[in-house]
Amino acid sequence: MYDIVIIGAGVIGCAVARELSKYNANVLVLDKNEDVCAGTSKANSAIIHSGYDAKNGTLKAQFNVRGNAMMDDLCRDLDVPFKRIGSLTICTDESQIADLEKLKERGEQNGVPGLKILNREELLEIEPHIADGVVAALYAPTAGIICPFKLTIALAENACENGVRFHLMTEVTKIEKADEGWKVTTNHGEYLTKTIVNAAGVYADEMNNMVSENKLKIIPRRGDYILLDRTAQGYVRHTVFQLPTELGKGVLVTPTVHGNTIIGPTAFDIDDKESTATTASAIAQVTEKSAISIKGLPTRQVITSFAGLRAREAGKDFILGEAEDAEGFFNCAGIQSPGLSSAPAIGAYIADLIKEKLTLSEKEDFVATRKDILDPSKLSLEERNELIKKEPAYGTIVCRCESVTEGEIIDAIRRPLGARSLDGVKRRVRAGMGRCQGGFCSPKVMDILVREWGLSMQDITKSGGDSHIVIGRTKDGDE
Amino acid sequence: MMMQYDIVIVGGGPAGLAAAVAAKESGCDSILILERDNELGGILNQCIHNGFGLHTFKEELTGPEYADRFIQQVKELQIEYKLNTMVMDISPERVVTAMNRDDGMFLITAKEVILAMGCRERPRGALNIPGYRPAGIFSAGTAQRLVNIEGWMPGKEVVILGSGDIGLIMARRMTLEGATVKLVAELMPYSGGLKRNIVQCLDDFDIPLKLSHTVVDIEGKEHITAVTIAQVDENCRPIKGTEERYTCDCLLLSCGLIPENELSTSAGVELSRVTGGPVVNESLETNIKGVFACGNVLHVHDLVDYVSEEAKKAGETAAKYVRGEITDNRGKTIAIRAESGVRYTVPTTLNPDAMDDLLTVRFRVGDVYKDAYVSVYFDGERVQHKKKRIIAPGEMEQVILQKKQIMQYPELSAITLKVEEV
């Protein structure tokens, strides 16, 4: 019998898990994918919103501002790259300045600090490549950029180290009321639990609708993005939004914590909850719209394009807390933007509710900090050489584009909830994330995965499931 | 620790090997080759097909055999090399930072540096192909490594996008391994590969080549299951109604090679926007004094024989610099320009005093020309006019300039290469 089963190992599920790991409780996280951070959490703008955008009084407004404020401490404790670079919401017509004023007012009511309207001259000083047509912008100094993979993985690892169990590749098929609590049926057996946290992303409606009469409907909203090579950096210093429209926040241009430039997203409502396919017109649209914000952006230096699904619920706000007609079933549903920004606050809030519900006591030996995978490029020459002497694997570069050593890859595999697939390695240490997109390093990373997990090349996948890389031996290939 | 060498060569592939041999034979004894892989030879090691060396050795060799000819010379000449060693940085002052598991990270000061890092393949991301991002999509060279070095098959029903040489070679290789190659689609109205590869790798195996076609959709959430191919118009935009769906479990991409110049950039080397490789003079020296480039890092070649030939030149010149025979090569320069049909030239400048009696200028054209002329102009005057039956983007072309002739034009400011229809 578990105290808590969390469905979904995205940033929300992992944030809840990490908060709950502070208490004496039996916690289990289930996810249908082979790794944490494999759904919406892996494909988004990688930004932390300041919180001016959500309407006053909404959960989105409240949790965004609170989550934003929690980021510094959390990222310091969990060793996650986070930079408060500030955001600019631009307008291209004098008449829209009034809209910026309204946004500023809204933001101030939401509790966003430091908001300021900048005129073109002021803008040019802090964002020199701003497009010619831009007349003014709303500056939000508390906005930031983050690595969403590293945040989610860090939360999961820290939860795991504090005793939370993770069952991956485990898909929930049925949730039923049990004598005491709930019975959760999966493709790998049944689990009994006192409480459930529904953090199932685009599937949160299906989970909720199995237990509650208050039906939810999540209509995934696809967002296409393009990512530019680091050679294109320097064109944009802040997260630059365009004034929001009915279909979302428009296209943003932002640097990433790793020095790439990200452009996107589009906004297409779709039916299929797995449909992360990009379209040519969407990619063209993103590329085209970026020119409204930034002049001369070298969009030809694209290294990849991708699409993510926002888990947008029909009621438009987050749905947080215990379902009225399903005791012990806690929803974190409809977590679209600003979900990543709100995650720490949502995690704390839900954990608090469950602590009360189950009267949990605090753990004495909770470990609040966690070290990220060692990045040797941050060491001095002497330190680096000492490391290589101890661990020669740190002297071998596997991914040449991102300068990733074998030592880092081994660390990514051996730590708690370690990487099992090429994408798992990529999200942890960036091998294959660079300009050649794994062309040179993927066979080498496969060799390391084979060796570390004791698998065959045929077992290695891109991202679990049926995503095998090779199908069998060549005619002369020997076993 | 700080090491010192006269010449440091970055890369132990065909270019680096030929440069090293030439430098040694020109009298330079202090040479170090740095190779990131676990053996010398570079990408030739995975090119197990034959067809290499017809120009250099007058016989058909496989890639590894061709490489071995040079590796043996390197060993006989006792040229030093380090394997499994990645160069992390090159400074404009020619301090090379490298790393391996035995020596750790170390610095080398070099009198001359020869860049010979080769090139990489353009990945799917850079092509903006829409659709899912499943497993089963490989650049042709990655698949070649898996098949030829590791002995694993990436798929059995194959579609190839792009008709670059590696794609064509892999079409044949996969077929010989029992896979079905359904087609090769090429965005351009002409192939980017060698004619002989189209004949020997596609025609001989009845594999269709569809020119002016591209992939417009990729299906399969986890593993690729199908692609949709469509014809494109003259602006390379897909034409509605021409879509054809092909089931497949493997998509290979052979859509161009990009010289790997991240290190060159860190050294301050200026790159050509056309080739992606360094801008060099007749001595294959870059804008940074004492830094030379050769092989595919300079511009993508069609035949390795030309890589060796070019690299030899870089090695010889670097040795001359070491001996002090050339101290300043920044004297009089004549521009070499690419016009009407000629996409680029290597080199782009020449100093008549520094050049040898003959200078090979290599170039590629931007379209297919039949019965056209390759012309060389000295300022306004046409001095060469050679008819060619066919000139194609997939084949590298060259003209030879004579020092003797250039010296007769003391006021010469620019040499221009053109393709002319008459």
PDB file of all heavy atoms in Angstrom, chain A residues 274-275 278 303 385 400 435 439 462 466 468 471-475, chain B residues 36 105 120 125 131 133 142 150-151 153 176-177 221-223 260:
ATOM      1  N   GLU A 274      -0.630  12.435 -29.088  1.00  0.00           N
ATOM      2  CA  GLU A 274       0.747  12.022 -29.354  1.00  0.00           C
ATOM      3  C   GLU A 274       1.315  12.765 -30.559  1.00  0.00           C
ATOM      4  O   GLU A 274       2.430  12.499 -30.990  1.00  0.00           O
ATOM      5  CB  GLU A 274       0.806  10.512 -29.619  1.00  0.00           C
ATOM      6  CG  GLU A 274       0.457   9.649 -28.423  1.00  0.00           C
ATOM      7  CD  GLU A 274       1.479   9.770 -27.295  1.00  0.00           C
ATOM      8  OE1 GLU A 274       2.678   9.897 -27.591  1.00  0.00           O
ATOM      9  OE2 GLU A 274       1.066   9.758 -26.122  1.00  0.00           O
ATOM     10  N   SER A 275       0.524  13.676 -31.108  1.00  0.00           N
ATOM     11  CA  SER A 275       0.897  14.232 -32.408  1.00  0.00           C
ATOM     12  C   SER A 275       1.909  15.364 -32.282  1.00  0.00           C
ATOM     13  O   SER A 275       1.582  16.537 -32.356  1.00  0.00           O
ATOM     14  CB  SER A 275      -0.338  14.716 -33.138  1.00  0.00           C
ATOM     15  OG  SER A 275       0.026  15.171 -34.410  1.00  0.00           O
ATOM     16  N   THR A 278       5.941  18.074 -36.596  1.00  0.00           N
ATOM     17  CA  THR A 278       5.962  19.455 -37.062  1.00  0.00           C
ATOM     18  C   THR A 278       5.427  19.506 -38.490  1.00  0.00           C
ATOM     19  O   THR A 278       5.345  18.480 -39.164  1.00  0.00           O
ATOM     20  CB  THR A 278       7.398  20.006 -37.075  1.00  0.00           C
ATOM     21  OG1 THR A 278       8.197  19.144 -37.894  1.00  0.00           O
ATOM     22  CG2 THR A 278       7.988  20.063 -35.684  1.00  0.00           C
ATOM     23  N   ILE A 303      19.473  24.029 -36.083  1.00  0.00           N
ATOM     24  CA  ILE A 303      20.012  22.674 -35.930  1.00  0.00           C
ATOM     25  C   ILE A 303      18.908  21.657 -35.715  1.00  0.00           C
ATOM     26  O   ILE A 303      19.089  20.488 -35.979  1.00  0.00           O
ATOM     27  CB  ILE A 303      21.095  22.538 -34.833  1.00  0.00           C
ATOM     28  CG1 ILE A 303      20.623  23.061 -33.495  1.00  0.00           C
ATOM     29  CG2 ILE A 303      22.375  23.207 -35.260  1.00  0.00           C
ATOM     30  CD1 ILE A 303      21.627  22.806 -32.373  1.00  0.00           C
ATOM     31  N   ASN A 385      42.961  17.967 -15.168  1.00  0.00           N
ATOM     32  CA  ASN A 385      43.960  16.918 -15.316  1.00  0.00           C
ATOM     33  C   ASN A 385      43.988  15.965 -14.125  1.00  0.00           C
ATOM     34  O   ASN A 385      44.241  14.767 -14.279  1.00  0.00           O
ATOM     35  CB  ASN A 385      45.335  17.526 -15.575  1.00  0.00           C
ATOM     36  CG  ASN A 385      45.501  17.906 -17.032  1.00  0.00           C
ATOM     37  OD1 ASN A 385      44.895  17.269 -17.901  1.00  0.00           O
ATOM     38  ND2 ASN A 385      46.275  18.930 -17.310  1.00  0.00           N
ATOM     39  N   ARG A 400      31.646  15.699 -30.052  1.00  0.00           N
ATOM     40  CA  ARG A 400      32.584  16.774 -30.353  1.00  0.00           C
ATOM     41  C   ARG A 400      31.893  18.133 -30.451  1.00  0.00           C
ATOM     42  O   ARG A 400      32.484  19.151 -30.118  1.00  0.00           O
ATOM     43  CB  ARG A 400      33.352  16.467 -31.624  1.00  0.00           C
ATOM     44  CG  ARG A 400      32.458  16.169 -32.810  1.00  0.00           C
ATOM     45  CD  ARG A 400      33.266  16.048 -34.073  1.00  0.00           C
ATOM     46  NE  ARG A 400      33.626  14.672 -34.358  1.00  0.00           N
ATOM     47  CZ  ARG A 400      33.955  14.244 -35.567  1.00  0.00           C
ATOM     48  NH1 ARG A 400      33.996  15.086 -36.574  1.00  0.00           N
ATOM     49  NH2 ARG A 400      34.267  12.994 -35.776  1.00  0.00           N
ATOM     50  N   ARG A 435      25.390  20.653 -33.306  1.00  0.00           N
ATOM     51  CA  ARG A 435      25.112  20.940 -34.702  1.00  0.00           C
ATOM     52  C   ARG A 435      25.092  19.699 -35.576  1.00  0.00           C
ATOM     53  O   ARG A 435      24.420  19.680 -36.587  1.00  0.00           O
ATOM     54  CB  ARG A 435      26.106  21.974 -35.225  1.00  0.00           C
ATOM     55  CG  ARG A 435      27.550  21.648 -35.003  1.00  0.00           C
ATOM     56  CD  ARG A 435      28.430  22.830 -35.373  1.00  0.00           C
ATOM     57  NE  ARG A 435      28.326  23.896 -34.398  1.00  0.00           N
ATOM     58  CZ  ARG A 435      29.106  24.017 -33.319  1.00  0.00           C
ATOM     59  NH1 ARG A 435      30.041  23.114 -33.082  1.00  0.00           N
ATOM     60  NH2 ARG A 435      28.961  25.009 -32.487  1.00  0.00           N
ATOM     61  N   GLY A 439      25.279  12.758 -35.280  1.00  0.00           N
ATOM     62  CA  GLY A 439      25.806  12.039 -36.436  1.00  0.00           C
ATOM     63  C   GLY A 439      27.083  11.280 -36.107  1.00  0.00           C
ATOM     64  O   GLY A 439      27.239  10.110 -36.449  1.00  0.00           O
ATOM     65  N   LYS A 462      16.258   5.072 -29.161  1.00  0.00           N
ATOM     66  CA  LYS A 462      16.372   6.533 -29.162  1.00  0.00           C
ATOM     67  C   LYS A 462      15.671   7.072 -27.925  1.00  0.00           C
ATOM     68  O   LYS A 462      16.199   7.913 -27.226  1.00  0.00           O
ATOM     69  CB  LYS A 462      15.735   7.093 -30.428  1.00  0.00           C
ATOM     70  CG  LYS A 462      15.768   8.614 -30.508  1.00  0.00           C
ATOM     71  CD  LYS A 462      15.205   9.076 -31.852  1.00  0.00           C
ATOM     72  CE  LYS A 462      15.248  10.604 -31.967  1.00  0.00           C
ATOM     73  NZ  LYS A 462      14.170  11.256 -31.194  1.00  0.00           N
ATOM     74  N   ASP A 466       9.496   1.376 -29.112  1.00  0.00           N
ATOM     75  CA  ASP A 466       9.917   0.732 -30.350  1.00  0.00           C
ATOM     76  C   ASP A 466      10.973   1.561 -31.089  1.00  0.00           C
ATOM     77  O   ASP A 466      11.212   1.352 -32.266  1.00  0.00           O
ATOM     78  CB  ASP A 466       8.671   0.550 -31.234  1.00  0.00           C
ATOM     79  CG  ASP A 466       8.978  -0.244 -32.488  1.00  0.00           C
ATOM     80  OD1 ASP A 466       9.848  -1.142 -32.414  1.00  0.00           O
ATOM     81  OD2 ASP A 466       8.385   0.044 -33.543  1.00  0.00           O
ATOM     82  N   HIS A 468      14.038   1.548 -31.638  1.00  0.00           N
ATOM     83  CA  HIS A 468      15.340   0.900 -31.784  1.00  0.00           C
ATOM     84  C   HIS A 468      16.162   1.562 -32.865  1.00  0.00           C
ATOM     85  O   HIS A 468      15.620   2.056 -33.845  1.00  0.00           O
ATOM     86  CB  HIS A 468      15.143  -0.581 -32.096  1.00  0.00           C
ATOM     87  CG  HIS A 468      14.427  -1.290 -31.004  1.00  0.00           C
ATOM     88  ND1 HIS A 468      15.050  -1.722 -29.867  1.00  0.00           N
ATOM     89  CD2 HIS A 468      13.120  -1.586 -30.852  1.00  0.00           C
ATOM     90  CE1 HIS A 468      14.165  -2.266 -29.072  1.00  0.00           C
ATOM     91  NE2 HIS A 468      12.986  -2.194 -29.633  1.00  0.00           N
ATOM     92  N   ILE A 471      18.451  -2.862 -36.420  1.00  0.00           N
ATOM     93  CA  ILE A 471      17.469  -3.941 -36.461  1.00  0.00           C
ATOM     94  C   ILE A 471      18.112  -5.327 -36.437  1.00  0.00           C
ATOM     95  O   ILE A 471      17.434  -6.329 -36.274  1.00  0.00           O
ATOM     96  CB  ILE A 471      16.560  -3.836 -37.708  1.00  0.00           C
ATOM     97  CG1 ILE A 471      17.402  -3.900 -38.988  1.00  0.00           C
ATOM     98  CG2 ILE A 471      15.754  -2.551 -37.680  1.00  0.00           C
ATOM     99  CD1 ILE A 471      16.597  -4.336 -40.187  1.00  0.00           C
ATOM    100  N   GLY A 472      19.410  -5.394 -36.631  1.00  0.00           N
ATOM    101  CA  GLY A 472      20.050  -6.708 -36.612  1.00  0.00           C
ATOM    102  C   GLY A 472      21.432  -6.608 -37.205  1.00  0.00           C
ATOM    103  O   GLY A 472      21.889  -5.523 -37.572  1.00  0.00           O
ATOM    104  N   ARG A 473      22.095  -7.750 -37.285  1.00  0.00           N
ATOM    105  CA  ARG A 473      23.458  -7.799 -37.790  1.00  0.00           C
ATOM    106  C   ARG A 473      23.516  -7.668 -39.304  1.00  0.00           C
ATOM    107  O   ARG A 473      22.578  -8.035 -40.009  1.00  0.00           O
ATOM    108  CB  ARG A 473      24.096  -9.140 -37.393  1.00  0.00           C
ATOM    109  CG  ARG A 473      24.705  -9.108 -35.995  1.00  0.00           C
ATOM    110  CD  ARG A 473      25.866  -8.169 -35.983  1.00  0.00           C
ATOM    111  NE  ARG A 473      26.578  -8.167 -34.714  1.00  0.00           N
ATOM    112  CZ  ARG A 473      27.535  -7.270 -34.435  1.00  0.00           C
ATOM    113  NH1 ARG A 473      27.858  -6.344 -35.302  1.00  0.00           N
ATOM    114  NH2 ARG A 473      28.159  -7.317 -33.290  1.00  0.00           N
ATOM    115  N   THR A 474      24.642  -7.179 -39.813  1.00  0.00           N
ATOM    116  CA  THR A 474      24.907  -7.252 -41.240  1.00  0.00           C
ATOM    117  C   THR A 474      25.290  -8.698 -41.549  1.00  0.00           C
ATOM    118  O   THR A 474      25.473  -9.508 -40.640  1.00  0.00           O
ATOM    119  CB  THR A 474      26.076  -6.328 -41.637  1.00  0.00           C
ATOM    120  OG1 THR A 474      27.197  -6.666 -40.815  1.00  0.00           O
ATOM    121  CG2 THR A 474      25.715  -4.874 -41.419  1.00  0.00           C
ATOM    122  N   LYS A 475      25.471  -8.996 -42.834  1.00  0.00           N
ATOM    123  CA  LYS A 475      25.788 -10.379 -43.218  1.00  0.00           C
ATOM    124  C   LYS A 475      27.065 -10.884 -42.543  1.00  0.00           C
ATOM    125  O   LYS A 475      27.139 -12.017 -42.114  1.00  0.00           O
ATOM    126  CB  LYS A 475      25.905 -10.489 -44.739  1.00  0.00           C
ATOM    127  CG  LYS A 475      24.540 -10.422 -45.418  1.00  0.00           C
ATOM    128  CD  LYS A 475      24.673 -10.450 -46.931  1.00  0.00           C
ATOM    129  CE  LYS A 475      23.286 -10.432 -47.584  1.00  0.00           C
ATOM    130  NZ  LYS A 475      23.376 -10.210 -49.030  1.00  0.00           N
TER     131      LYS A 475
ATOM    132  N   ARG B  36      41.460  12.386 -33.487  1.00  0.00           N
ATOM    133  CA  ARG B  36      40.454  12.167 -32.442  1.00  0.00           C
ATOM    134  C   ARG B  36      39.996  10.705 -32.374  1.00  0.00           C
ATOM    135  O   ARG B  36      39.538  10.239 -31.349  1.00  0.00           O
ATOM    136  CB  ARG B  36      39.261  13.106 -32.636  1.00  0.00           C
ATOM    137  CG  ARG B  36      38.560  12.938 -33.946  1.00  0.00           C
ATOM    138  CD  ARG B  36      37.561  14.063 -34.203  1.00  0.00           C
ATOM    139  NE  ARG B  36      37.302  14.202 -35.622  1.00  0.00           N
ATOM    140  CZ  ARG B  36      36.854  15.295 -36.216  1.00  0.00           C
ATOM    141  NH1 ARG B  36      36.626  16.369 -35.515  1.00  0.00           N
ATOM    142  NH2 ARG B  36      36.650  15.328 -37.511  1.00  0.00           N
ATOM    143  N   MET B 105      44.714  17.094 -20.364  1.00  0.00           N
ATOM    144  CA  MET B 105      44.624  18.241 -21.252  1.00  0.00           C
ATOM    145  C   MET B 105      46.000  18.895 -21.315  1.00  0.00           C
ATOM    146  O   MET B 105      46.619  19.112 -20.279  1.00  0.00           O
ATOM    147  CB  MET B 105      43.589  19.212 -20.725  1.00  0.00           C
ATOM    148  CG  MET B 105      43.125  20.207 -21.751  1.00  0.00           C
ATOM    149  SD  MET B 105      41.851  21.258 -21.069  1.00  0.00           S
ATOM    150  CE  MET B 105      40.481  20.799 -22.079  1.00  0.00           C
ATOM    151  N   ARG B 120      31.467  17.396 -41.776  1.00  0.00           N
ATOM    152  CA  ARG B 120      30.392  16.599 -41.193  1.00  0.00           C
ATOM    153  C   ARG B 120      29.192  16.665 -42.117  1.00  0.00           C
ATOM    154  O   ARG B 120      29.139  17.469 -43.037  1.00  0.00           O
ATOM    155  CB  ARG B 120      30.021  17.129 -39.811  1.00  0.00           C
ATOM    156  CG  ARG B 120      29.435  18.527 -39.840  1.00  0.00           C
ATOM    157  CD  ARG B 120      28.806  18.932 -38.511  1.00  0.00           C
ATOM    158  NE  ARG B 120      28.408  20.317 -38.571  1.00  0.00           N
ATOM    159  CZ  ARG B 120      29.171  21.341 -38.212  1.00  0.00           C
ATOM    160  NH1 ARG B 120      30.365  21.129 -37.731  1.00  0.00           N
ATOM    161  NH2 ARG B 120      28.733  22.570 -38.329  1.00  0.00           N
ATOM    162  N   GLY B 125      17.797  18.041 -38.715  1.00  0.00           N
ATOM    163  CA  GLY B 125      17.317  19.296 -38.145  1.00  0.00           C
ATOM    164  C   GLY B 125      17.580  20.480 -39.046  1.00  0.00           C
ATOM    165  O   GLY B 125      16.741  21.355 -39.211  1.00  0.00           O
ATOM    166  N   GLY B 131       7.365  16.719 -39.740  1.00  0.00           N
ATOM    167  CA  GLY B 131       6.912  15.392 -39.336  1.00  0.00           C
ATOM    168  C   GLY B 131       7.406  15.040 -37.958  1.00  0.00           C
ATOM    169  O   GLY B 131       7.885  15.890 -37.205  1.00  0.00           O
ATOM    170  N   ARG B 133       9.790  12.908 -35.113  1.00  0.00           N
ATOM    171  CA  ARG B 133      11.245  12.762 -34.958  1.00  0.00           C
ATOM    172  C   ARG B 133      11.558  11.391 -34.376  1.00  0.00           C
ATOM    173  O   ARG B 133      12.070  11.266 -33.281  1.00  0.00           O
ATOM    174  CB  ARG B 133      11.777  13.867 -34.054  1.00  0.00           C
ATOM    175  CG  ARG B 133      11.389  15.255 -34.570  1.00  0.00           C
ATOM    176  CD  ARG B 133      12.169  16.351 -33.927  1.00  0.00           C
ATOM    177  NE  ARG B 133      12.120  16.316 -32.484  1.00  0.00           N
ATOM    178  CZ  ARG B 133      13.136  16.596 -31.701  1.00  0.00           C
ATOM    179  NH1 ARG B 133      14.301  16.906 -32.222  1.00  0.00           N
ATOM    180  NH2 ARG B 133      12.996  16.564 -30.404  1.00  0.00           N
ATOM    181  N   THR B 142      26.630   8.147 -40.875  1.00  0.00           N
ATOM    182  CA  THR B 142      26.422   7.442 -39.607  1.00  0.00           C
ATOM    183  C   THR B 142      25.994   6.003 -39.887  1.00  0.00           C
ATOM    184  O   THR B 142      26.484   5.055 -39.252  1.00  0.00           O
ATOM    185  CB  THR B 142      25.343   8.154 -38.763  1.00  0.00           C
ATOM    186  OG1 THR B 142      25.690   9.530 -38.646  1.00  0.00           O
ATOM    187  CG2 THR B 142      25.234   7.538 -37.381  1.00  0.00           C
ATOM    188  N   GLU B 150      30.693  -1.215 -37.353  1.00  0.00           N
ATOM    189  CA  GLU B 150      30.090  -1.885 -36.207  1.00  0.00           C
ATOM    190  C   GLU B 150      29.374  -3.180 -36.598  1.00  0.00           C
ATOM    191  O   GLU B 150      29.109  -4.020 -35.742  1.00  0.00           O
ATOM    192  CB  GLU B 150      29.097  -0.953 -35.497  1.00  0.00           C
ATOM    193  CG  GLU B 150      29.570   0.498 -35.394  1.00  0.00           C
ATOM    194  CD  GLU B 150      30.076   0.866 -34.016  1.00  0.00           C
ATOM    195  OE1 GLU B 150      29.756   0.129 -33.076  1.00  0.00           O
ATOM    196  OE2 GLU B 150      30.786   1.879 -33.907  1.00  0.00           O
ATOM    197  N   GLY B 151      29.010  -3.303 -37.878  1.00  0.00           N
ATOM    198  CA  GLY B 151      28.347  -4.522 -38.322  1.00  0.00           C
ATOM    199  C   GLY B 151      26.877  -4.628 -37.957  1.00  0.00           C
ATOM    200  O   GLY B 151      26.368  -5.722 -37.719  1.00  0.00           O
ATOM    201  N   MET B 153      22.767  -3.386 -38.922  1.00  0.00           N
ATOM    202  CA  MET B 153      21.893  -2.836 -39.961  1.00  0.00           C
ATOM    203  C   MET B 153      20.921  -1.810 -39.371  1.00  0.00           C
ATOM    204  O   MET B 153      20.207  -2.106 -38.416  1.00  0.00           O
ATOM    205  CB  MET B 153      21.081  -3.968 -40.601  1.00  0.00           C
ATOM    206  CG  MET B 153      21.890  -4.853 -41.528  1.00  0.00           C
ATOM    207  SD  MET B 153      22.442  -3.959 -42.986  1.00  0.00           S
ATOM    208  CE  MET B 153      20.925  -3.992 -43.968  1.00  0.00           C
ATOM    209  N   LEU B 176      23.270  -4.607 -51.056  1.00  0.00           N
ATOM    210  CA  LEU B 176      24.122  -5.798 -50.960  1.00  0.00           C
ATOM    211  C   LEU B 176      23.922  -6.517 -49.628  1.00  0.00           C
ATOM    212  O   LEU B 176      24.108  -7.724 -49.526  1.00  0.00           O
ATOM    213  CB  LEU B 176      25.602  -5.415 -51.141  1.00  0.00           C
ATOM    214  CG  LEU B 176      25.977  -4.894 -52.534  1.00  0.00           C
ATOM    215  CD1 LEU B 176      27.422  -4.408 -52.552  1.00  0.00           C
ATOM    216  CD2 LEU B 176      25.767  -5.979 -53.596  1.00  0.00           C
ATOM    217  N   GLU B 177      23.516  -5.749 -48.602  1.00  0.00           N
ATOM    218  CA  GLU B 177      23.275  -6.359 -47.291  1.00  0.00           C
ATOM    219  C   GLU B 177      21.862  -6.925 -47.177  1.00  0.00           C
ATOM    220  O   GLU B 177      21.427  -7.309 -46.102  1.00  0.00           O
ATOM    221  CB  GLU B 177      23.517  -5.335 -46.178  1.00  0.00           C
ATOM    222  CG  GLU B 177      24.986  -5.049 -45.909  1.00  0.00           C
ATOM    223  CD  GLU B 177      25.734  -6.234 -45.291  1.00  0.00           C
ATOM    224  OE1 GLU B 177      25.060  -7.156 -44.778  1.00  0.00           O
ATOM    225  OE2 GLU B 177      26.971  -6.243 -45.342  1.00  0.00           O
ATOM    226  N   LYS B 221       5.767   7.567 -34.579  1.00  0.00           N
ATOM    227  CA  LYS B 221       6.052   8.321 -33.350  1.00  0.00           C
ATOM    228  C   LYS B 221       7.354   7.809 -32.717  1.00  0.00           C
ATOM    229  O   LYS B 221       8.204   8.587 -32.322  1.00  0.00           O
ATOM    230  CB  LYS B 221       4.883   8.157 -32.387  1.00  0.00           C
ATOM    231  CG  LYS B 221       5.113   8.715 -31.009  1.00  0.00           C
ATOM    232  CD  LYS B 221       4.593  10.118 -30.854  1.00  0.00           C
ATOM    233  CE  LYS B 221       4.801  10.601 -29.429  1.00  0.00           C
ATOM    234  NZ  LYS B 221       4.541  12.014 -29.283  1.00  0.00           N
ATOM    235  N   GLU B 222       7.497   6.493 -32.633  1.00  0.00           N
ATOM    236  CA  GLU B 222       8.691   5.935 -32.003  1.00  0.00           C
ATOM    237  C   GLU B 222       9.735   5.550 -33.043  1.00  0.00           C
ATOM    238  O   GLU B 222      10.894   5.905 -32.938  1.00  0.00           O
ATOM    239  CB  GLU B 222       8.308   4.718 -31.147  1.00  0.00           C
ATOM    240  CG  GLU B 222       7.463   5.110 -29.954  1.00  0.00           C
ATOM    241  CD  GLU B 222       7.064   3.933 -29.093  1.00  0.00           C
ATOM    242  OE1 GLU B 222       7.185   2.774 -29.545  1.00  0.00           O
ATOM    243  OE2 GLU B 222       6.610   4.173 -27.959  1.00  0.00           O
ATOM    244  N   HIS B 223       9.304   4.782 -34.031  1.00  0.00           N
ATOM    245  CA  HIS B 223      10.210   4.381 -35.107  1.00  0.00           C
ATOM    246  C   HIS B 223       9.588   4.786 -36.426  1.00  0.00           C
ATOM    247  O   HIS B 223       8.374   4.717 -36.581  1.00  0.00           O
ATOM    248  CB  HIS B 223      10.463   2.865 -35.074  1.00  0.00           C
ATOM    249  CG  HIS B 223      11.742   2.480 -35.751  1.00  0.00           C
ATOM    250  ND1 HIS B 223      11.836   2.382 -37.119  1.00  0.00           N
ATOM    251  CD2 HIS B 223      12.973   2.235 -35.273  1.00  0.00           C
ATOM    252  CE1 HIS B 223      13.083   2.066 -37.439  1.00  0.00           C
ATOM    253  NE2 HIS B 223      13.791   1.986 -36.341  1.00  0.00           N
ATOM    254  N   GLU B 260      34.152  21.251 -41.084  1.00  0.00           N
ATOM    255  CA  GLU B 260      34.100  21.399 -39.618  1.00  0.00           C
ATOM    256  C   GLU B 260      35.093  22.444 -39.147  1.00  0.00           C
ATOM    257  O   GLU B 260      36.230  22.120 -38.834  1.00  0.00           O
ATOM    258  CB  GLU B 260      34.462  20.074 -38.951  1.00  0.00           C
ATOM    259  CG  GLU B 260      33.382  19.054 -38.995  1.00  0.00           C
ATOM    260  CD  GLU B 260      33.185  18.395 -37.638  1.00  0.00           C
ATOM    261  OE1 GLU B 260      34.004  17.541 -37.294  1.00  0.00           O
ATOM    262  OE2 GLU B 260      32.230  18.766 -36.938  1.00  0.00           O
TER     263      GLU B 260
END
